[in-house]
Amino acid sequence: MLGVVRRRLGSGCVLGQLAQALRPAAAARSYSVAAKEITVREALNSALDEEMSADPSVFLMGEEVGEYQGAYKISKGLLDKYGPDRVLDTPITEAGFTGIGVGAAYHGLRPIVEFMTFNFSMQAIDHIINSAAKSNYMSAGQISVPIVFRGPNGAAAGVGAQHSQCYAAWYAHVPGLKVLAPYSAEDARGLLKAAIRDPDPVVFLENELLYGESFPVSDEVLDSSFCLPIGKAKIERQGKDVTITAFSKMVGYALQAADILAKEGISAEVINLRSIRPLDRAAINASVRKTNRLVTVEEGFPQHGIGAEICMAVVEDSFEYLDAPVERIAGADVPMPYAANLERMAVPQVEDIVRAAKRACYRAVPMAATA
């Protein structure tokens, strides 16, 4: 690995920095005209490919990312294209290879560290927080740590308590980290590019159950220059009666709930957070000031969760606009059960969001509709 660092510092680092400087800045635009559909897996793969092609200092490391082409085939084809110096298969030693990645970032490279699941990132949490997140501050800006920690996060299906946690609130708690959670193919592609280009450490929380889902994307999204701004939420659906905030897989559930609510005369505005840290407080508060009601949705545990932070952001900035108490939907406050029926009860469902939105909108809904 040290040989890789020396070679990259000697030949590719300057070129990588030049390529970074020449890249166009991220633009906060709307990409709505769909040209085709791609899966989230394809979106992540293409983002990795294009960023590795554009910047020689970018490399990928993790378990089975090379010969096996990724546990979830996110890195398919990259070993053949870029070779073993830039697509590195590692032993099952998260603490070891994460520390190597952080050290490489200290020396000007741009590592992408893949965890087979973010539950395994707990083995490396000291490097992520103490070595990566705090170094820029503790060095008075002398040490930049441009590294991405990525992999599937949250509940999958039938994998038990030790493989089913959402780490959004864990890592969003830490100054020095940026935390992103894509929902669609557009999110995955644009946010991963932004994460790789960013000068700071980024935790990139994907969802295993979304990898195979297809989403419409425009020609602009498919352009190699496409990039989404970090810290900006997206309004997935306009509404006037209640605001629903969600991220990752729960965005899809929120949109399904909004469809059901619309049939009952309730207009729900759905906000896809995209960025957990920094959080787009302005977008959330602007929506609440319009709808006067708020429902937060997340897979993680309720205590000290993302919904709690959003609730406080609204209380601090827009309390006088609320016409009803904030409704918070989260995972059950228990370790994830293994049995399929209990697992479903432990994770938020579409009907939970519908009920919460109705409670928030009770005063605005005709009595016949709430009977």
Side-chain angles (χ1 to χ4, degrees):
M1 185 64 216
L2 291 176
V4 175
V5 173
R6 291 192 191 100
R7 284 196 293 276
R8 288 294 167 263
L9 287 175
S11 61
C13 188
V14 174
L15 290 175
Q17 291 172 354
L18 179 60
Q20 180 76 10
L22 293 176
R23 284 179 171 134
R29 291 172 289 179
S30 175
Y31 305 93
S32 56
V33 182
K36 60 179 293 189
E37 286 197 355
I38 62 172
T39 64
V40 169
R41 177 180 290 107
E42 292 168 334
L44 293 168
N45 178 265
S46 65
L48 288 170
D49 186 9
E50 290 172 7
E51 294 306 300
M52 291 180 73
S53 177
D55 188 343
S57 68
V58 176
F59 70 94
L60 174 67
M61 66 190 307
E63 296 153 3
E64 300 186 344
V65 298
E67 294 289 346
Y68 193 68
Q69 305 195 75
Y72 301 96
K73 299 299 180 276
I74 304 301
S75 54
K76 184 177 180 179
L78 299 183
L79 176 62
D80 290 341
K81 188 170 183 179
Y82 298 103
D85 277 359
R86 296 186 63 195
V87 181
L88 287 79
D89 279 322
T90 68
I92 306 174
T93 53
E94 282 79 12
F97 66 74
T98 303
I100 290 172
V102 174
Y106 283 178
H107 286 278
L109 299 183
R110 292 183 172 272
I112 303 164
V113 174
E114 177 178 307
F115 297 116
M116 197 176 291
T117 163
F118 254 93
N119 296 273
F120 299 164
S121 75
M122 293 182 70
Q123 300 292 324
I125 201 165
D126 178 56
H127 288 304
I128 296 171
I129 294 175
N130 282 327
S131 302
K134 299 176 181 178
S135 291
N136 188 262
Y137 174 82
M138 293 179 69
S139 67
Q142 296 179 80
I143 299 177
S144 178
V145 192
I147 188 170
V148 178
F149 307 100
R150 54 156 294 269
N153 172 69
V159 292
Q162 293 178 331
H163 297 77
S164 297
Q165 291 176 222
C166 174
Y167 285 88
W170 290 56
Y171 288 117
H173 182 68
V174 182
L177 289 179
K178 295 176 181 176
V179 182
L180 306 179
Y183 160 61
S184 65
E186 177 184 314
D187 291 352
R189 184 169 157 78
L191 290 175
L192 184 53
K193 282 174 164 284
I196 295 170
R197 299 175 189 184
D198 200 88
D200 297 313
V202 179
V203 171
F204 196 86
L205 303 173
E206 301 156 14
N207 187 285
E208 177 184 337
L209 300 179
L210 287 176
Y211 283 148
E213 285 203 25
S214 296
F215 293 87
V217 292
S218 67
D219 287 332
E220 201 158 8
V221 171
L222 295 174
D223 190 273
S224 61
S225 65
F226 175 69
C227 185
L228 286 172
I230 292 175
K232 295 295 182 183
K234 178 186 179 184
I235 297 179
E236 295 282 353
R237 179 183 178 126
Q238 296 278 352
K240 60 182 179 62
D241 295 327
V242 59
T243 296
I244 304 175
T245 64
F247 60 93
S248 190
K249 189 172 183 289
M250 290 294 108
V251 176
Y253 282 24
L255 290 170
Q256 292 178 52
D259 288 339
I260 295 170
L261 291 165
K263 295 175 183 177
E264 302 189 29
I266 298 174
S267 173
E269 181 152 293
V270 177
I271 297 180
N272 173 7
L273 296 175
R274 284 180 167 172
S275 179
I276 308 301
R277 184 184 183 106
L279 187 67
D280 194 349
R281 290 173 60 124
I284 296 167
N285 277 285
S287 179
V288 169
R289 291 184 181 203
K290 177 175 65 172
T291 66
N292 309 116
R293 294 168 178 83
L294 173 64
V295 176
T296 70
V297 186
E298 63 188 308
E299 275 192 21
F301 301 130
Q303 186 161 327
H304 308 123
I306 305 302
E309 177 65 24
I310 291 172
C311 178
M312 197 63 224
V314 170
V315 167
E316 288 175 344
D317 296 342
S318 304
F319 179 74
E320 66 273 22
Y321 288 86
L322 287 172
D323 286 344
V326 174
E327 295 283 345
R328 188 161 54 123
I329 303 297
D333 199 20
V334 297
M336 180 65 70
Y338 176 73
N341 60 327
L342 297 179
E343 181 183 64
R344 188 181 188 280
M345 294 172 65
V347 178
Q349 302 297 323
V350 173
E351 54 265 31
D352 298 323
I353 304 172
V354 171
R355 283 195 295 268
K358 284 184 177 181
R359 285 194 299 267
C361 293
Y362 181 82
R363 296 180 184 86
V365 179
M367 292 303 293
T370 61

